[in-house]
Amino acid sequence: MPTFQYKKLVRDNIPGWHRENGHTVKGRTLTGRDLRAALCEKLHEEADEVDAALSKQELTEEIADVEQILYDLCAEEGILPSEVETARLAKADRKGGFRTGAYIETVTIPNEEDKWAQYCRQDPDKYPEVTEDEL
């Protein structure tokens, strides 16, 4: 009898489908921090599947999975969809969207005390500082 390790959050109906087919399912119900962490992990998994989608239909289904996870994460955290939309619109108004494809390789800031230099230095994994030789 083959046994397969999942070790991941699955859609609500999947355990029942397995049981209906005579499969033995071992697992648990996640709540609180554990559920939030699993939803975030699942979001990363589904984002990778969006990247790997080979057709419009596949891409649509993977985006739907991402959207479902976001809806469930919001519900778990008590965030209303209208709050997300308000935040999205405000951020788009302030910073724009991503449709133009603006992509930054590096930013050189002439003043060491500039607030953006300080901002970037607070997160060196995200914004590594490079030397002139590396440019």
Side-chain angles (χ1 to χ4, degrees):
M1 266 189 293
T3 299
F4 300 94
Q5 184 171 315
Y6 277 34
K7 284 198 167 185
K8 66 179 184 176
L9 186 67
V10 296
R11 286 184 173 265
D12 298 339
N13 295 340
I14 301 299
W17 290 351
H18 279 295
R19 288 185 190 99
E20 288 170 10
N21 285 286
H23 306 164
T24 301
V25 176
K26 289 184 181 177
R28 63 189 187 281
T29 300
L30 302 177
T31 59
R33 282 187 185 175
D34 292 337
L35 178 54
R36 185 181 196 278
L39 283 164
C40 290
E41 187 175 320
K42 191 72 171 179
L43 182 59
H44 289 280
E45 176 190 329
E46 294 299 336
D48 288 342
E49 291 177 10
V50 165
D51 186 38
L54 299 175
S55 68
K56 183 178 179 179
Q57 180 179 346
E58 199 176 342
L59 178 60
T60 301
E61 290 177 10
E62 297 306 337
I63 290 171
D65 287 345
V66 168
E67 196 168 90
Q68 184 65 56
I69 293 163
L70 294 174
Y71 282 137
D72 293 344
L73 184 57
C74 285
E76 180 65 20
E77 295 295 322
I79 300 169
L80 298 172
S82 60
E83 292 175 285
V84 174
E85 183 63 5
T86 297
R88 185 191 70 78
L89 291 171
K91 207 164 194 179
D93 186 49
R94 192 172 70 254
K95 294 183 175 184
F98 299 96
R99 295 288 310 270
T100 66
Y103 184 89
I104 294 176
E105 293 286 345
T106 63
V107 173
T108 302
I109 301 170
N111 181 351
E112 289 283 331
E113 302 306 316
D114 186 288
K115 71 177 183 178
W116 292 108
Q118 301 306 316
Y119 176 84
C120 291
R121 284 185 175 137
Q122 288 177 10
D123 195 349
D125 290 334
K126 189 173 181 181
Y127 303 105
E129 197 163 345
V130 295
T131 66
E132 278 191 43
D133 296 340
E134 296 173 296
L135 294 175

